[in-house]
Structures are given as C-alpha cells and as structure tokens.
C-alpha cells in the first residue's frame, strides 16, 4: 500500500502593508491549514502506519516546533538602536542616498525575503518566456548518492593515464614527483573515472546559484523511520500518550507527563 | 579567457584591506597583513543585546557586560544573510567608524572583502552592494561566498603534507569541499580552483542556534525553566555536548531504569553523566562542568527541605543524555522531525550534483569550518559516516581548520596578501558608479566579466 502524506506547507508571512501566500496549485494550502473534522478523531489519527505521525495537525505541530527551535529569542523583544549611536556615527553626517534610506528603513525579515523569492520563482514558472534562465546549460544527472558503483567498465578502461589530470592531482598529490612504483601494478590500479574536461568544468562553474529552497538538503530516499524519544527523560519513546500523542518511555514518565505537560485535558 | 576590457592600469587599490566574515552570531573582522595570522582577526558579537537593566549593548561592547541573565539579542544577520541593515549599521559603525572603535578605518582608503552565505536572495545582495558603496563609500569591494575563501589555505599541509612553497601561496586549492557548520545552518560547498560550484551547494538547516534552542527546551522540561537564558544555554552546550560514536549504546547507558528496578550506575556511566554548575552573576562566577556526584544530590535535597538555612548554595543541574542527543541532530535531523538527511548524507547529495570524475578529488580534500566542528567527537563521527557512504574506491580525507571560526577570515587574508589576486576580484567605487548595481551583481555572480 503506498504511503501518501500531505506535506504541510502553509507559509503565509505577514509583512507591513501586505501579505504573501505562496500558492502551489489548487487547494493544497487550504487542505494543509484546515484538516477536515473527521481526520482529527482518534480512530483515524492512529489508523495510519504504526509509529508514524500521519495527521496534518501533528505535522503542523512538528513544523511549529521547528520554527520555535529556529528563533533567536523566546520572547518578542524590541531592541531599538540607541539614539545616541544613531546620531553621531563618528563622521560628519552626509546625505544618504534614496537607496540607502530605503534599505535602512526596511523592516523586512528573512521570511519576507524568502516569500518574495518563492513568489518570483513561481511567477517565472508560470511565464517562462519572460524569465531569466535559471537552469544551467549543463544538466547533470542527479543520481542518488547511494548508487555508488554505477561507473561503467568503459569508464574504468579509459582511465589509464588520466590519473595525471589536474583535478586528481589535488586529491592524490602526485604532483610532487613522488610517484610510487606500485602505482603501475594492475591489481592496485585505482578504479576511479577520469576527471571531467575543461568545458564541463566551465559550464559547471558558470551555473547560476540555486534558490534558497532548492539548496536545502533533501530528505532521505530510503525513508528511514523516525526515532522518537521520551519527552520527559529522553530515553526511547516507546509509548504514545492517548490524549495528545506525545511520546514517553514508560509509566513513570507517563505520570510526569500527565501531571504537568499533557496539553489535552479531554481526549 | 575573454580579454579584459577595463585597463588594469586605471585601477589602483589602496594598501589597506579590511576583511569581514559577517556571520549571524559573530563577525570576524580584521585588516590584512603581508603575513596573515589569526591574531589579526577580531571576533565581535554581531548583535544588539538588551540586559535585565534595559541597557543596550552594541557588538564589541558586550565584552564589558557581566550579567548575561535574561539577556535578549537582536541579530541583523538571519540565516547567514544581512537582512536588517539598520542594526547592522549600528554594529559596523561601532566597530569600524567611530572615533575609538576597535578596528577604526577610513572606508574611502580601504578595500573591503565581505563574505556572504551561499544561496543569498538577489535583493539582499543588491541591498548589501548599495550600502557598501553608497553609504560607506569603500574604495573597492568584493562580495564572495564565505566557504570559497577557505580555498586559499594551505590545504595539503592540513593533511600532513609539507607546507607549500612560498610562490604557490596565493593559488587557491584545486579541488576542495568545504563543510561550514555555523550558527544558522550547515552548508556543503564544492570548490574548484577557489570558485564555488553553485549547482552543487547544499544546506542542512541545522546550526548552533537550533542545537542551543533544543538543549534549552530539554532542560526547561527536565530541570529549570531556561527559556530566557539563551546565552547561558549556549555556554552549557559548548561545555558539555559531545557527538557519540554509538548513539544507542550511550542512550542505554544513561537510562535511569524502571521505578521498581532502579538501575545501579555502571562504572562507565560516570563518563557521561555530569553536573553543570550554573553561573552566579552576583558573585561574578562563570558556570562550569564537573563530574557527577550522586552524594551531592542527596545533600542538596536535604538542604532544600530546611530552606534558607546556612549560606548560599550553588545551583547546578545533572545532565545525562542531553549531552549527546543534542548534537546528534546534525547527523539525524529526523529526531526533531526535520525532513532532511544528516550532514554526511548532505555531503553526498552535494557530490551527486558533480560529475563522478570529481568525486575522488573532492572526497580526499574535505575541510570543515564553523563552530559546530569544535564539538567533541564531531570530526571522527563525520569521517566515519562519510567513509561509509562514499564509494569504496575513493580516499576520504577530512580535516578541521586549525581555528574553525576564524578560518574563512584567514583565507580572505591570504587572498588579500597577494596584490594581483586581490585586484582580480575587487570592484572599485568608480566602476560601480559607472556601471551600477545590476552590473555589480553580475560581476560577483560570474555572469559578467570586466
């Protein structure tokens, strides 16, 4: 049975003056924000794969937790630049240009900038003609890193003297003239493919940077099950609280959880 | 190579070069010398901080601060990018441009080398360029990817080879894979001749800040509420956290046992469980770690029962599995539900964007920089896991920079020590005034040539 999961990606960011909501296709955002009433019932909530956090509500809780972990300070503090500092910037006050004034006045956060970038990319996606090409000239096969022994025998046979090429020199450090006589032994011959040509390298180097979201590391393809830990003591979280779904390790920690940390009074 | 259109004779750079590695947590700044050394680099907190008494400290002023209780920070750099120039300007003014500033300089007679994190959104780059040239009016400026400056180090020397010869000094390393695990995130950047291969840059959204916050959360549940004590938590993290070779074994060893059958502490458990004595700002005492003393726990409980008796008791907490479950996130982000692979797999993801012919050279030249690499056990675990994932034919060599925090700055200092190399990357203010900021953005991204 295929495992279908709804990725909760409801990022609506409020900026002074406007709100940006990246909308990918139809209805996905809405589905992520408002789970239907039936899905929240306990029977369906735990009906999925055992041990997997399946409901949207739980995924949103995880996202919220991650956002909390990413904060600089727990409270919302406003720290204004001290005015004494602002006035006497050391040198004679000169006129600031319009650009600089706009930049200094800007109260945008990184989340705003990120939403801007995503909105721009989505726009380029819809109207590819007006967009600047973000795809590099050279498309590399993004094979999974685990397909490690995919080098063909053809590549290996052409290997030969390619050992001496520039890129390998850095790795093996043979440039200092200390080439071992054992390097010529057929059994010890290295199995590495040859270094790419200069044109390939130039194409690679001139490729434009990826967008912020595209550069994010991908999730594991093998789908390693998530490990859960006891909220109270940090040991393996083998049992789930029936009310709120938090993981604990045993009865003792379950008691501590019920006393102070269980967020749902009525299941 | 295309012929250069600008006449090199026209571009004369001043002698003074300022290098700023502008991180989210600290700013590494200093002037270049002909013999670059780490002593020239100042590490300055890149923040405005407000303490309990509502006093606001700016950047380097924090050195004089004694009370870090409930201190709150405002950081102009988010995720490695300068987002809020209002606050950043206050810190820069305080550091570089006020009369008795630490690194006082006259921007009109100074070259600036500034670093940026990979994958910066274009508007932020433009903002940065405009502030540098229009507000500060630096004589010349280059904005380069932070990790790429590390290519100017003597990499082979780090792997146990002889120091390079002097005439090679300014040549960047041919192939280098830089893992930069800093405050906001950990990035993997492959470099070829000192130039980043942008399509293969990957980022894991776990950095020192997230680790500190996670430790703070765990301790707030298990010990005291520390939600306002980020500064203290960071010190605790730096003092106690370690990356274990065998996570499961360590977790079993720190298990308290069931209530009916309380486990007796094993002799090797003593290595893991420690006490951390919290700082006492009234007595100007710093916090510190010491071996766990079970008898002390009983004593403390007793003293708590007869409250107020005797003199002031030091406050401490006992830390067990928090010590290794926190930095474990770098290797298993799934433990907090983050849908990303760990740092070793991120390295392999980055390599998958490169032709296989480059893999051996990249895997044999991995340099680790950034504060997280100082966590005990981090390097050996990283090496073990990359070795397991990488093709068996490839040699895996991995080294930590001698000073992982100042490493990027030092790389920039090596670049600045060579006038020819410096001239090749810098853009002067005249050029900017003539060509504008769009052109400048293209030059720094490599899309336009001068």
């Amino acid at each position: 049975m295929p495992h279908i999961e709804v990725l909760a990606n409801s990022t609506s960011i409020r900026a002074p003056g406007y709100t940006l909501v990246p909308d990918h296709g139809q209805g996905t955002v809405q589905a992520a924000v408002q789970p239907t009433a039936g899905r929240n019932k306990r029977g369906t909530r735990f009906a999925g794969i055992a041990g997997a956090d399946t409901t949207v509500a739980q995924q949103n809780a995880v996202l919220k937790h991650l956002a909390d972990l990413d904060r600089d300070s727990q409270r919302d503090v406003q720290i204004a630049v001290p005015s004494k500092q602002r006035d006497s910037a050391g040198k004679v006050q000169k006129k600031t240009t319009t650009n600089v004034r706009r930049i200094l006045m800007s109260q945008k956060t990184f989340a705003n900038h990120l939403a801007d970038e995503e909105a721009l990319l989505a726009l380029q996606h819809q109207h590819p003609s007006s967009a600047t090409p973000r795809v590099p000239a050279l498309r590399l096969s993004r094979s999974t890193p685990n397909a490690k022994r995919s080098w063909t025998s053809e590549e290996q046979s052409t290997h030969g003297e390619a050992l001496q090429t520039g890129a390998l020199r850095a790795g093996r450090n043979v440039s200092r003239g200390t080439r071992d006589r054992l390097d010529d032994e057929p059994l010890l011959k290295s199995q590495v493919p040859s270094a790419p040509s200069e044109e390939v390298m130039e194409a690679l180097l001139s490729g434009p940077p990826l967008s912020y979201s595209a550069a994010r590391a991908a999730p594991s393809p093998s789908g390693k099950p998530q490990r859960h830990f006891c909220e109270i003591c940090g040991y393996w979280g083998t049992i789930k609280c029936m009310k709120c779904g938090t993981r604990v390790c045993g009865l003792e920690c379950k008691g501590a959880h019920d006393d102070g940390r269980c967020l749902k009074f009525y299941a | 190579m295309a012929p250069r259109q600008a006449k090199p004779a026209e571009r004369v750079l001043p002698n003074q070069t300022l290098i700023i590695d502008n991180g989210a947590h600290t700013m590494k700044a200093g002037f270049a010398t002909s013999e670059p050394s780490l002593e020239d680099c100042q590490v300055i907190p890149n923040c405005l901080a407000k303490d309990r008494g509502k006093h606001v400290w700016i950047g380097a002023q924090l050195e004089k601060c004694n009370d870090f209780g409930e201190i709150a920070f405002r950081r102009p750099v988010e995720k490695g990018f300068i987002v809020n120039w209002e606050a950043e300007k206050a810190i820069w003014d305080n550091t570089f441009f006020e009369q008795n500033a630490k690194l006082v300089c006259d921007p009109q007679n100074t070259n600036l080398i500034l670093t940026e994190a990979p994958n910066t959104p274009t508007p932020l780059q433009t903002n940065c360029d405009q502030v540098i040239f229009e507000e500060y009016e630096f004589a010349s400026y280059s904005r380069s990817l932070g990790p790429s400056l590390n290519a100017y180090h003597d990499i082979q020397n780090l792997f146990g080879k002889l120091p390079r010869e002097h005439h090679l000094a300014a040549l960047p390393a041919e192939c280098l894979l830089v893992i930069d695990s800093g405050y906001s995130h950990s990035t993997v950047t492959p470099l070829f001749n000192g130039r980043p291969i942008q399509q293969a840059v990957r980022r894991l959204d776990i950095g020192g800040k997230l680790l500190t916050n996670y430790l703070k959360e765990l301790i707030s549940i298990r010990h005291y509420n520390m939600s306002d004590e980020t500064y203290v938590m960071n010190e605790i993290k730096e003092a106690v956290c370690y990356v274990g070779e065998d996570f499961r074994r360590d977790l079993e060893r720190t298990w308290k046992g069931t209530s009916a059958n309380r486990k007796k502490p094993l002799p090797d458990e003593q290595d893991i469980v420690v006490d951390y004595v919290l700082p006492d700002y009234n007595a100007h005492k710093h916090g510190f770690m010491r071996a766990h003393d079970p008898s002390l726990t009983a004593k403390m409980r007793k003293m708590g029962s007869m409250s107020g008796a005797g003199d002031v008791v030091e406050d401490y907490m006992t830390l067990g599995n928090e010590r290794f479950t926190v930095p474990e996130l770098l290797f298993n982000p799934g433990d907090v539900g983050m849908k990303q692979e760990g740092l070793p797999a991120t390295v392999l993801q980055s390599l998958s964007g490169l032709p296989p012919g480059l893999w051996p050279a990249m895997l044999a030249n991995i340099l680790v920089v950034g504060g997280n690499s100082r966590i005990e056990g981090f390097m050996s675990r990283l090496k073990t896991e990359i070795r397991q994932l990488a093709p068996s034919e490839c040699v895996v060599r991995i080294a930590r920079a001698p000073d992982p925090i100042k490493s990027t700055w030092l790389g920039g200092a090596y670049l600045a020590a060579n006038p020819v190399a410096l001239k090749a990357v810098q853009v002067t203010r005249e050029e900017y005034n003539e060509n504008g900021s769009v052109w400048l953005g293209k030059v720094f991204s490599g899309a336009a040539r001068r």
Side-chain angles (χ1 to χ4, degrees):
Chain A
M1 192 185 113
H3 171 217
I4 299 170
E5 62 180 356
V6 184
L7 290 176
N9 56 351
S10 61
T11 47
S12 75
I13 290 124
R14 207 169 264 284
Y18 60 91
T19 309
L20 270 173
V21 184
D23 188 358
H24 318 281
Q26 57 283 9
T28 47
V29 174
Q30 218 164 16
V33 177
Q34 290 168 331
T36 47
R39 293 201 62 139
N40 249 340
K41 285 193 183 133
R42 205 197 315 156
T44 48
R45 190 196 301 160
F46 298 131
I49 301 161
D53 285 332
T54 43
T55 67
V56 175
Q58 278 164 342
Q59 286 193 16
N60 280 338
V62 167
L63 287 185
K64 186 175 172 295
H65 181 214
L66 286 177
D68 275 349
L69 287 179
D70 207 38
R71 282 160 58 152
D72 267 316
S73 60
Q74 222 60 26
R75 297 167 290 155
D76 275 327
V77 277
Q78 300 291 330
I79 304 177
V81 177
S83 55
K84 169 175 63 85
Q85 158 95 31
R86 207 187 282 154
D87 296 337
S88 64
K91 52 193 169 173
V92 197
Q93 280 289 307
K94 59 180 169 46
K95 258 176 77 177
T96 49
T97 61
T98 341
N99 282 331
V100 173
R101 212 173 310 131
R102 174 182 56 81
I103 294 166
L104 291 181
M105 297 293 282
S106 163
Q107 291 299 321
K108 274 182 160 184
T109 62
F110 181 66
N112 302 138
H113 284 286
L114 190 59
D116 279 357
E117 192 187 59
E118 274 169 12
L120 190 71
L121 281 180
L123 203 69
Q124 287 180 353
H125 198 67
Q126 280 168 12
H127 312 283
S129 55
S130 64
T132 49
R134 287 197 71 90
V135 220
L138 177 98
R139 290 291 306 186
L140 285 159
S141 61
R142 286 212 44 195
S143 59
T144 58
N146 295 336
K148 24 185 131 154
R149 279 160 202 82
S150 61
W151 301 330
T152 59
S153 56
E154 189 188 355
E155 274 176 311
Q156 287 171 15
S157 61
T158 55
H159 161 62
E161 291 306 305
L163 259 182
Q164 294 289 345
T165 50
L168 288 174
R169 209 176 298 142
R172 318 192 82 240
N173 200 40
V174 290
S175 61
R176 299 274 152 87
T178 54
R179 203 179 145 82
D180 203 291
R181 90 193 142 74
L182 286 175
D183 280 4
D184 296 327
E185 286 285 314
L187 274 176
L188 295 175
K189 227 169 203 171
S190 159
Q191 302 283 304
V192 290
S194 57
S197 64
E198 254 178 52
E199 298 88 70
V200 175
M201 281 322 299
E202 199 47 45
L204 263 181
L205 286 167
S206 55
L210 298 171
S211 70
Y212 183 78
S213 336
R216 188 172 284 138
S220 152
S222 59
K224 207 164 61 173
Q226 194 189 336
R227 306 190 291 192
H228 295 279
F229 300 99
C230 171
E231 182 198 52
I232 305 295
C233 74
Y235 191 64
W236 300 115
T238 40
I239 61 172
K240 229 176 193 174
C241 172
M242 292 279 279
K243 290 179 185 168
C244 66
T246 310
R247 299 293 189 124
V248 283
C249 69
L251 277 179
E252 197 184 350
C253 287
K254 178 73 169 65
H257 168 77
D258 287 346
D259 282 348
R261 296 200 45 87
C262 190
L263 298 173
K264 283 197 177 160
F265 293 106
Y266 313 102
Chain B
M1 256 226 201
R4 279 174 194 252
Q5 274 139 29
K7 291 143 220 126
E10 277 179 19
R11 303 198 307 137
V12 183
L13 300 183
N15 289 324
Q16 195 178 37
T17 304
L18 175 66
I19 303 147
I20 307 178
D21 177 15
N22 207 41
H25 186 246
T26 53
M27 164 165 77
K28 281 71 72 178
F31 296 107
T33 53
S34 52
E35 291 290 322
S37 78
L38 289 169
E39 279 81 61
D40 299 327
C41 176
Q42 306 263 355
V43 180
I44 296 151
N46 201 358
C47 59
L48 301 174
K50 193 192 236 173
D51 64 13
R52 280 191 265 220
K54 309 269 184 227
H55 179 80
V56 177
W57 306 83
I58 301 168
Q61 293 174 355
L62 264 177
E63 273 178 11
K64 300 190 197 86
C65 177
N66 303 320
D67 182 359
F68 288 99
E70 293 175 31
I71 199 160
F73 296 101
R74 171 179 173 187
R75 301 191 187 278
V77 177
E78 280 179 60
K79 299 271 152 204
F81 314 119
I82 308 177
V83 172
N84 191 302
W85 270 102
E86 186 201 10
E88 188 64 86
K89 185 174 182 304
I91 298 164
W92 279 26
D93 284 345
N94 179 267
T95 317
F96 306 114
F97 309 117
E98 278 178 3
Q99 265 128 29
N100 37 16
K102 244 185 166 175
L103 293 162
V104 69
C105 72
D106 173 17
Q108 305 208 4
N109 284 313
T110 307
N111 311 310
L112 176 68
I113 297 178
L114 182 66
T115 66
E116 65 172 359
N119 313 104
T120 314
T122 323
L124 291 176
Q125 294 179 325
T126 315
N127 284 357
C128 183
D129 298 344
Q130 286 173 343
V131 171
I132 298 292
F133 275 134
E134 295 181 17
E135 172 69 19
Y136 290 118
E137 303 184 340
F138 275 95
S140 77
Y141 156 64
S142 70
R143 170 166 53 72
S144 46
L145 222 54
S148 69
L149 290 179
N150 286 295
Y152 294 91
H153 283 291
D154 190 356
I155 301 297
Q156 297 306 325
N157 189 18
L158 291 178
F159 291 112
K161 297 286 189 298
L162 293 173
R164 62 184 166 194
E165 288 147 47
H166 192 70
H167 66 277
L168 293 170
L171 282 181
E174 207 168 12
C175 275
L176 184 68
L177 190 80
V178 179
I179 301 176
D180 184 352
S181 186
Y183 177 75
S184 348
H185 49 223
S186 306
T187 58
V188 179
T189 314
L191 302 170
F192 187 77
N193 284 330
R195 289 165 68 192
I197 302 176
Q198 296 274 14
Q199 296 287 316
V201 175
R202 289 291 178 278
R203 183 188 67 248
L204 170 67
D205 284 326
I206 289 191
K209 172 172 66 176
L210 196 140
L211 298 186
T212 303
N213 281 339
Y214 186 52
L215 179 65
K216 186 164 75 178
E217 185 187 281
L218 295 182
I219 288 184
S220 296
I221 294 174
R222 296 171 197 171
H223 299 278
Y224 304 105
N225 182 7
M226 300 296 265
S227 54
D228 283 337
E229 304 287 354
T230 312
Y231 184 88
V232 179
M233 288 319 300
N234 186 47
E235 285 195 332
I236 297 177
K237 179 194 76 177
E238 287 175 6
V240 306
C241 278
Y242 76 95
V243 180
E245 281 293 321
D246 187 344
F247 180 78
R248 288 172 174 274
R249 191 198 58 200
D250 283 354
L251 196 58
E252 297 298 336
R253 272 163 49 178
T254 49
W255 186 41
K256 62 186 185 310
T258 59
S259 53
N261 179 22
R262 186 67 66 201
K263 190 166 61 89
K264 286 196 187 73
L266 301 168
D268 60 348
E269 188 182 310
Q270 301 301 330
D271 315 337
I272 297 180
V273 180
V274 293
D275 290 343
Y276 188 90
V277 181
L278 293 170
D280 182 347
Y281 293 118
N282 291 325
H284 299 286
K285 273 191 211 151
H286 287 281
F288 60 94
M289 178 176 87
R290 67 171 173 222
H292 178 53
D293 184 356
S295 62
L296 208 64
T297 319
K299 197 173 144 203
M300 274 288 286
R301 216 174 289 132
K302 205 168 140 199
M303 293 187 86
S305 62
M306 35 181 203
S307 55
D311 46 8
V312 183
V313 190
E314 59 180 13
D315 229 345
Y316 73 95
M317 48 199 179
T318 305
L319 301 172
N321 56 28
E322 298 88 356
R323 289 187 66 198
F324 55 87
T325 47
V326 170
E328 179 72 16
L329 292 186
L330 284 164
F331 296 87
N332 282 304
D335 287 358
V336 283
M338 187 177 277
K339 292 213 183 309
Q340 291 186 21
E341 276 194 287
L343 193 52
T346 306
V347 171
L348 270 287
Q349 282 185 23
S350 164
L351 283 182
S352 70
L354 299 176
L358 277 181
W359 291 21
M362 288 296 176
L363 283 168
N365 293 283
I366 303 179
L367 179 72
V368 185
V369 301
N372 291 335
S373 66
R374 289 162 78 167
I375 301 174
E376 188 190 332
F378 175 86
M379 290 301 290
S380 62
R381 173 81 179 272
L382 190 63
K383 177 162 189 183
T384 314
E385 290 206 7
I386 293 181
R387 178 64 276 174
Q388 285 166 358
L389 293 170
S392 57
E393 296 89 348
C394 297
V395 181
V396 173
R397 292 190 309 176
I398 170 164
R400 172 171 55 190
D403 187 327
I405 290 179
K406 295 179 183 175
S407 173
T408 300
W409 181 91
L410 189 63
Y414 280 122
L415 168 67
N418 181 332
V420 183
L422 183 66
K423 205 169 227 176
V425 294
Q426 295 293 98
V427 173
T428 61
R429 194 166 78 246
E430 289 77 44
E431 286 177 298
Y432 171 79
N433 288 342
E434 197 172 314
N435 298 302
S437 66
V438 177
W439 170 84
L440 186 63
K442 282 185 185 162
V443 168
F444 285 147
S445 68
R449 283 187 189 282
R450 282 175 290 168

